[in-house]
C-alpha cells in the first residue's frame, strides 16, 4: 500500500520536539510570575497653563490708529449705559472723527478720538479732491472713556484746539500750544490730560486736568456723556457751544450762545436747540446740508441713525435768542438708515466737489466716509467706505490664556495708565532664528512703549505700594494667568521661571481665595473670604537666569475650622516695572513630591 504526503518522524525527533515545547511553556510561565519592573515616575504637572508661551494668539495692534488692512482703526472700548428695563450694561462706543486742517497746509486733516481715551491726528498727504492719510500721530494725552471731540479755534489765535466731552458730562479743552504748522495740544507728555472722577479711578488723582468750560465759576455740564461742538449757529461771527446729551431717555442738543469775543468766548444761558424725542447718546454736527445758507443740524444716536434738523431763518433771526428746531428726517447711507451703534458724525465736503459728505466713526473703531451725490438741495449719500491710513505698528503674537489687562480692559473705566504701557509679544524661533530660548520655540518679550512712540511715563503708578522696588521704576505692565489652577492646600509647591532683560524689575503674586464657612453655620450668613497672596520681586540681567522658590499654600487651621483641602481659585499676576525690556520663559508651578 502506498501513502502519499505523509511524513514519518523518528522517535528521538518527537522526544526532542516535546522537550522544546515544554521548555518554552516553562519559560513563559516563569516570566509571567516574575515581578514587574517599577513604573517610571510620572512627570510633574505644571499647574500654569501655557507656561512656556507656546500657544499664541494674534493681537490686533491699533495703537498707531491703523489696522492691518490699512484702515484707520482706533482702539475700541465699552461704556456703562443704562439699558431700558434692566440695569447698567457695557456697550461699545464709536470713534469720534473731525475733518479739519490742523497743520496749516490748507488740506483738511483727520483727528480721531478713540472711545478708549486715546487721541490721534492723521496729516492729509493727498489732494483737496482726493484726501489721503499716512501714519497716525498719537497725541500724548488722555481724554477719557467714550470721548467725543470737535476741532476748532477756541481762542481766535488761528490754531486749532480740541474740545472734548466724555462719560463725565463736562466740556473740556486742549488748547493748541504749538504753531500753525506744528500743532501741539500738550505742553509736556501727558499734560494736560483728563482724569476720571471716583469711582471710575479710585485713589488720589495725581497730575493735571484738562480745563473745563465754565460759566463764571460753575462748569458747564449736561449730566453724562457729553458730545460738544464749537460752531457759529446764529451767524453772528462768534462760534457757539452745542453739546449733545447722553443721559437716559430724554436726550437733547443744548446750546450756549457765545456772548464774549472771538479771543475770549463766554457763555450765559443754555437753550434746548433740538429734542431727541427718545433717541439717546446724541452726537451733533453743524453744516448747511441743503445749501440754503442757513446752518443745519445732523445728529448721530445710539441706534446708529443720523437725524437731520433743518435750520430755519426764524430760529436765528434774533442772534441773542434761539428757538428750537424740528426733526426733519433720518439720513440714509447706501439706502440704510442705521449705520451701526452710537455713531459720532461729522458733516463736511470731504472731496471738495461742492456736495456735502458724511464722515462718521463706528463702534468697531474704524472711520467711514459716505460721499454725497445728486443735487445740492437734495443730496444722496452712498459709497460708504473706510478711510485708509498707513499701518506702522504691526499686529503681533501674544501668549494665549494670558490676560493682557493694560491693553484691553482697565482703561474702560478711566484709567490713565493705558497708552504708556509697553508692547508685550511672543517671540519665536520661526521669526528670529538666532533667538536664544530656554524652552520650546517661543518666549514672552516685553518692550517699553517709549521705544515705539516716544512717550514719557506719567508718574501715576502705585510705586509707593512696592517699597522693595528701587526708586525710579514705574508700573509698566500687568499680566495674569486666567486659567484656573487647582492645588491642595497645606502642600508645598515650587514656582520657577527663566528670565533676562535690562532696566526692568518684576513682581509676581501667586494668590488664591479661601472660603471659610460662617462659624455660626451656613444659615447664619455667607462664607468668609480669606485671600492668601504669595509675593516676591525678581530682578533681571543681560543673560538668562533661573528663579526658583518653594511656597507652602496653606488654608486656615483653627480648633473649629480646617479648610486644608483643594481649591480651584488661584491666579498668577505679573507686574513689570521700568522702561527697558524683559524676557520670560518656562513658567512653572509644580507640587513638591515628598519622598
Amino acid at each position: 500500500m502506498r501513502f502519499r504526503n505523509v511524513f514519518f518522524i523518528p522517535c528521538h525527533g518527537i522526544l526532542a520536539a516535546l522537550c522544546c515545547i515544554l521548555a518554552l511553556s516553562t519559560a513563559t510561565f516563569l516570566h509571567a510570575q516574575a515581578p514587574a519592573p517599577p513604573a517610571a515616575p510620572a512627570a510633574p504637572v505644571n499647574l500654569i497653563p501655557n507656561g512656556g508661551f507656546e500657544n499664541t494668539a494674534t493681537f490686533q495692534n491699533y495703537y498707531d490708529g491703523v489696522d492691518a488692512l490699512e484702515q484707520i482703526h482706533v482702539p475700541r472700548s465699552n461704556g456703562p449705559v443704562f439699558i431700558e428695563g434692566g440695569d447698567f450694561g457695557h456697550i461699545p462706543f464709536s470713534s469720534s472723527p473731525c475733518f479739519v486742517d490742523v497743520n496749516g497746509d490748507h488740506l483738511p486733516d483727520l483727528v480721531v478720538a478713540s472711545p478708549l481715551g486715546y487721541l490721534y491726528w492723521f496729516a492729509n498727504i493727498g489732494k483737496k479732491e482726493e484726501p489721503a492719510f499716512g501714519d497716525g500721530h498719537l497725541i500724548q494725552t488722555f481724554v477719557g472713556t467714550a470721548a467725543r471731540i470737535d476741532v476748532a479755534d477756541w481762542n481766535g489765535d488761528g490754531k486749532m484746539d480740541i474740545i472734548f466731552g466724555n462719560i463725565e458730562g463736562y466740556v473740556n479743552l486742549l488748547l493748541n500750544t504749538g504753531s500753525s504748522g506744528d500743532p501741539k495740544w500738550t505742553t509736556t507728555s501727558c499734560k494736560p490730560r483728563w482724569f476720571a472722577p471716583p469711582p471710575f479711578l479710585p485713589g488720589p488723582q495725581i497730575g493735571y486736568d484738562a480745563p473745563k468750560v465754565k460759566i463764571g465759576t460753575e462748569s458747564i455740564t449736561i449730566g453724562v456723556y457729553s458730545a460738544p461742538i464749537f460752531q457759529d449757529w446764529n451767524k453772528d461771527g462768534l462760534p457757539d457751544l452745542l453739546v449733545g446729551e447722553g443721559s437716559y431717555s430724554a436726550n437733547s442738543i443744548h446750546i450756549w450762545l457765545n456772548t464774549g469775543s472771538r479771543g475770549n468766548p463766554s457763555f450765559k444761558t443754555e437753550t434746548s436747540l433740538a429734542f431727541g424725542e427718545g433717541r439717546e447718546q446724541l452726537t451733533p454736527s453743524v453744516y448747511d446740508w441743503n445749501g440754503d445758507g442757513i446752518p443745519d443740524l445732523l445728529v448721530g444716536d445710539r441706534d446708529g441713525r443720523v437725524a437731520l434738523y433743518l435750520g430755519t431763518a426764524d430760529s436765528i433771526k434774533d442772534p441773542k435768542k434761539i428757538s428750537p428746531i424740528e426733526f426733519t428726517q433720518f439720513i440714509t447711507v447706501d439706502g440704510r438708515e442705521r449705520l451701526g451703534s452710537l455713531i459720532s458724525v461729522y458733516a463736511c465736503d470731504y472731496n471738495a466737489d461742492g456736495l456735502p459728505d458724511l464722515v462718521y466713526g463706528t463702534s468697531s473703531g474704524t472711520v467711514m466716509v459716505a460721499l454725497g451725490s445728486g443735487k445740492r438741495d437734495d443730496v444722496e449719500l452712498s459709497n460708504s467706505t473706510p478711510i485708509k491710513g498707513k499701518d506702522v505698528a504691526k499686529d503681533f503674537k501674544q501668549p494665549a490664556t494670558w490676560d493682557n489687562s493694560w491693553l484691553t480692559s482697565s482703561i474702560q473705566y478711566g484709567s490713565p495708565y493705558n497708552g504708556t504701557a509697553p508692547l508685550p509679544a511672543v517671540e519665536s524661533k520661526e521669526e528670529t532664528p538666532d533667538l536664544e530660548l530656554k524652552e520650546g520655540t517661543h518666549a514672552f518679550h516685553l518692550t517699553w512703549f517709549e521705544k515705539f512712540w516716544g512717550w514719557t511715563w506719567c508718574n501715576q503708578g502705585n510705586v509707593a505700594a512696592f517699597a522693595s522696588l528701587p526708586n525710579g521704576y514705574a508700573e509698566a505692565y500687568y499680566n495674569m494667568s486666567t486659567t484656573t489652577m487647582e492645588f491642595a492646600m497645606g502642600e508645598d509647591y515650587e514656582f520657577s521661571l527663566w528670565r533676562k532683560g535690562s532696566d526692568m524689575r518684576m513682581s509676581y503674586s501667586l494668590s488664591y481665595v479661601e472660603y471659610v464657612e460662617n462659624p455660626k453655620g451656613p444659615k447664619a450668613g455667607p462664607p468668609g473670604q480669606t485671600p492668601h497672596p504669595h509675593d516676591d520681586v525678581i530682578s533681571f540681567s543681560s543673560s538668562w537666569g533661573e528663579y526658583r522658590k518653594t511656597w507652602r499654600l496653606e488654608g486656615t487651621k483653627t480648633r473649629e475650622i480646617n479648610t486644608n483641602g483643594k481649591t480651584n481659585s488661584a491666579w498668577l499676576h505679573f507686574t513689570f516695572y521700568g522702561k527697558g525690556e524683559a524676557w520670560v520663559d518656562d513658567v512653572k508651578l509644580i507640587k513638591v513630591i515628598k519622598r
Side-chain angles (χ1 to χ4, degrees):
M1 179 180 243
R2 297 179 65 185
F3 296 91
R4 296 185 179 182
N5 299 326
V6 176
F7 296 89
F8 292 91
I9 303 176
C11 289
H12 65 273
I14 296 174
L15 181 61
L18 289 173
C19 291
C20 289
I21 293 172
L22 180 61
L24 288 172
S25 300
T26 303
T28 303
F29 175 77
L30 292 175
H31 178 74
Q33 295 298 312
V45 177
N46 184 9
L47 298 180
I48 299 175
N50 198 22
F53 309 107
E54 296 303 302
N55 299 324
T56 64
T58 299
F59 179 81
Q60 294 177 313
N61 190 358
Y62 303 146
Y63 288 83
D64 60 347
V66 183
D67 62 23
L69 298 176
E70 301 286 328
Q71 299 175 157
I72 289 178
H73 197 153
V74 297
R76 299 162 290 186
S77 179
N78 295 349
V81 172
F82 188 80
I83 298 175
E84 186 175 4
D87 203 344
F88 279 95
H90 284 78
I91 59 178
F93 276 70
S94 69
S95 52
S96 177
C98 291
F99 186 59
V100 180
D101 179 16
V102 298
N103 60 0
D105 63 356
H106 306 293
L107 289 176
D109 309 300
L110 194 64
V111 183
V112 185
S114 160
L116 199 58
Y118 295 158
L119 197 57
Y120 302 81
W121 77 276
F122 301 83
N124 190 341
I125 57 176
K127 304 175 182 178
K128 203 165 188 179
E129 300 79 14
E130 297 180 17
F133 305 94
D135 55 319
H137 300 263
L138 181 61
I139 300 170
Q140 298 179 23
T141 190
F142 176 72
V143 290
T145 301
R148 279 78 172 257
I149 63 168
D150 189 35
V151 181
D153 184 1
W154 178 264
N155 53 8
D157 62 356
K159 296 180 291 186
M160 289 297 171
D161 309 301
I162 297 174
I163 303 99
F164 72 92
N166 53 37
I167 187 175
E168 194 180 13
Y170 293 99
V171 178
N172 307 273
L173 295 175
L174 290 178
L175 296 179
N176 190 341
T177 60
S179 63
S180 58
D182 184 19
K184 285 184 174 61
W185 292 279
T186 57
T187 54
T188 60
S189 178
C190 311
K191 177 186 177 182
R193 68 185 304 161
W194 176 86
F195 288 93
F200 301 105
L201 178 62
Q205 297 179 24
I206 309 169
Y208 301 90
D209 289 332
K212 296 178 174 62
V213 178
K214 298 184 177 183
I215 298 177
T217 59
E218 297 295 323
S219 299
I220 289 177
T221 180
I222 49 87
V224 293
Y225 290 118
S226 50
I229 59 174
F230 192 52
Q231 303 289 331
D232 184 5
W233 177 257
N234 58 0
K235 300 191 71 173
D236 65 351
L238 296 176
D240 307 301
L241 182 64
L242 288 76
V243 184
E245 184 181 355
S247 57
Y248 177 67
S249 186
N251 288 186
S252 298
I253 302 296
H254 307 268
I255 185 170
W256 285 262
L257 293 179
N258 190 345
T259 58
S261 63
R262 190 65 189 87
N264 186 25
S266 62
F267 312 95
K268 291 182 179 178
T269 307
E270 175 269 336
T271 301
S272 293
L273 177 62
F275 301 107
E277 300 175 349
R279 295 184 295 277
E280 302 172 24
Q281 297 290 342
L282 304 185
T283 60
S285 181
V286 170
Y287 195 82
D288 180 8
W289 193 255
N290 59 359
D292 63 357
I294 300 174
D296 304 309
L297 182 68
L298 291 86
V299 181
D301 67 19
R302 173 174 171 169
D303 294 325
R305 297 168 299 189
V306 182
L308 174 64
Y309 296 77
L310 289 177
T312 64
D314 288 340
S315 175
I316 61 173
K317 64 181 180 181
D318 183 353
K320 296 182 180 180
K321 182 179 179 182
I322 295 297
S323 301
I325 54 177
E326 299 292 331
F327 166 75
T328 305
Q329 67 184 61
F330 287 117
I331 291 176
T332 61
V333 175
D334 296 325
R336 295 177 292 117
E337 190 175 277
R338 296 177 186 267
L339 307 180
S341 63
L342 288 108
I343 62 167
S344 294
V345 299
Y346 190 85
C348 59
D349 185 1
Y350 184 78
N351 55 358
D353 64 353
L355 296 175
D357 309 306
L358 188 67
V359 175
Y360 61 95
T362 70
S363 58
S364 70
T366 58
V367 178
M368 310 289 289
V369 59
L371 299 178
S373 61
K375 299 179 180 179
R376 182 63 185 85
D377 58 354
D378 186 20
V379 175
E380 294 183 1
L381 294 177
S382 60
N383 192 28
S384 178
T385 56
I387 298 178
K388 299 279 188 172
K390 182 180 179 181
D391 183 22
V392 175
K394 303 297 184 180
D395 296 348
F396 53 86
K397 297 292 185 181
Q398 285 191 291
T401 73
W402 289 76
D403 177 36
N404 183 349
S405 298
W406 281 121
L407 294 180
T408 52
S409 61
S410 64
I411 203 170
Q412 294 178 9
Y413 304 98
S415 167
Y417 303 112
N418 280 29
T420 53
L423 285 174
V426 173
E427 297 284 347
S428 69
K429 279 284 191 181
E430 293 87 348
E431 298 165 343
T432 312
D434 59 348
L435 188 65
E436 179 191 0
L437 302 176
K438 298 307 295 184
E439 184 270 340
T441 60
H442 295 76
F444 180 78
H445 184 207
L446 185 73
T447 304
W448 177 243
F449 220 42
E450 187 175 10
K451 293 193 175 185
F452 291 86
W453 305 110
W455 279 57
T456 303
W457 172 256
C458 299
N459 187 17
Q460 285 290 314
N462 296 320
V463 182
F466 295 86
S468 60
L469 294 173
N471 292 333
Y473 282 87
E475 190 168 5
Y477 173 74
Y478 173 71
N479 191 294
M480 180 177 70
S481 176
T482 57
T483 303
T484 304
M485 297 176 286
E486 181 177 295
F487 51 77
M489 289 188 289
E491 299 289 343
D492 291 336
Y493 287 81
E494 182 183 79
F495 177 72
S496 63
L497 56 81
W498 287 85
R499 85 286 190 193
K500 72 173 182 176
S502 60
D503 198 19
M504 277 279 183
R505 297 288 187 275
M506 183 182 84
S507 68
Y508 73 86
S509 176
L510 174 62
S511 59
Y512 56 98
V513 174
E514 175 192 3
Y515 292 90
V516 181
E517 184 179 316
N518 192 307
K520 297 181 180 180
K523 295 183 179 180
Q529 297 184 22
T530 304
H532 292 277
H534 298 273
D535 306 307
D536 201 4
V537 177
I538 302 175
S539 60
F540 290 84
S541 62
S542 58
S543 59
W544 282 105
E546 186 181 26
Y547 170 88
R548 189 181 296 270
K549 188 166 185 176
T550 299
W551 294 101
R552 172 154 293 181
L553 308 180
E554 290 188 319
T556 300
K557 290 182 180 180
T558 67
R559 185 175 301 173
E560 298 83 9
I561 303 172
N562 184 354
T563 61
N564 272 337
K566 286 189 175 181
T567 176
N568 59 358
S569 300
W571 302 271
L572 175 64
H573 301 255
F574 285 165
T575 305
F576 293 86
Y577 300 80
K579 295 181 180 179
E581 66 176 346
W583 297 80
V584 178
D585 201 4
D586 198 18
V587 184
K588 292 180 179 177
L589 180 67
I590 295 173
K591 183 178 180 180
V592 177
I593 306 298
K594 300 176 182 177
R595 302 185 182 279

